[in-house]
Amino acid sequence: MIVLASASPRRAELLASAGLRFVVVPSSIVEERLPGEPPDVFVRRLAGAKARAVAGARPDGFVLAADTEVMIDGDVLGKPRDDDDARAMLARLSGRVHDVLTGFEVYDVAARRADGGVVRTRVEFAPLGRAEIDAYVATGEPRGKAGGYAIQGRAAGLIRRIDGSYTNVVGLPLREVLETLARMGAL
């Protein structure tokens, strides 16, 4: 059995689109970056912590967890606190290239072993005017999204190009996750 340790409907949709059967058991760990922690180490550590937290209550199966962050100029943007924060994030991303990092882990409960990684995708936003940013924020879509946008939604029209995995930007690097699940014997 595969357990998705995430409340993200986007991650569940991606797994379902690949034809996987799974159950959802969200993790309740605190998602806090340690002082000086590099972003790639941060997302990988959180994915592992989420997987192990959910695995602790299971007798067997495979637990999949992930954490996605948007990074620009060495800063992790996180999820906007409110609409003003979302506007500030979008203004900062406007006309620029940034990285989307997703750390993921598959944990085999019975064997007590884990495998996973970090996937990086480069995303370039088109230059955005204040009215365009305000209109996007007014949709409510930025709420709860790393970097204040959802590439699979209306933000698709704000993005000039991506270099790398599209599903990584959505929140789960599907190809890499499927390879890891297969390698560990979950598929």
Side-chain angles (χ1 to χ4, degrees):
M1 164 168 295
I2 297 172
V3 177
L4 176 61
S6 174
S8 167
R10 293 158 302 282
R11 289 188 180 122
E13 288 166 8
L14 286 169
L15 286 179
S17 75
L20 296 185
R21 294 175 52 100
F22 58 94
V23 296
V24 174
V25 179
S27 164
S28 59
I29 70 155
V30 176
E31 298 183 20
E32 199 169 283
R33 189 171 170 203
L34 302 174
E37 186 174 31
D40 57 334
V41 173
F42 172 54
V43 295
R44 184 66 174 91
R45 179 181 59 79
L46 277 185
K50 290 175 184 180
R52 283 170 176 75
V54 170
R58 306 206 56 86
D60 58 18
F62 296 87
V63 179
L64 167 63
D67 186 69
T68 301
E69 299 293 343
V70 170
M71 187 177 79
I72 190 165
D73 301 326
D75 296 331
V76 174
L77 296 186
K79 297 172 184 170
R81 293 179 306 276
D82 53 31
D83 287 352
D84 287 338
D85 196 28
R87 282 185 196 87
M89 287 182 184
L90 293 165
R92 188 169 180 190
L93 297 173
S94 174
R96 300 190 58 206
V97 174
H98 64 275
D99 292 319
V100 176
L101 300 172
T102 300
F104 71 95
E105 181 165 294
V106 176
Y107 187 80
D108 179 340
V109 177
R112 293 186 182 157
R113 66 184 177 100
D115 194 1
V118 176
V119 176
R120 178 184 306 257
T121 302
R122 300 203 36 98
V123 178
E124 180 183 353
F125 261 66
L128 306 174
R130 177 123 179 112
E132 194 170 15
I133 291 172
D134 287 345
Y136 180 63
V137 171
T139 69
E141 195 173 84
R143 295 183 194 120
K145 309 291 189 315
Y149 73 93
I151 194 171
Q152 73 279 10
R154 293 182 177 163
L158 309 178
I159 294 168
R160 178 161 282 153
R161 69 181 174 85
I162 69 168
D163 181 14
S165 169
Y166 169 80
T167 60
N168 182 54
V169 183
V170 175
L172 191 67
L174 194 55
R175 180 72 240 153
E176 292 81 355
V177 166
L178 292 173
E179 289 170 351
T180 303
L181 287 166
R183 188 169 52 247
M184 293 191 69
L187 300 181

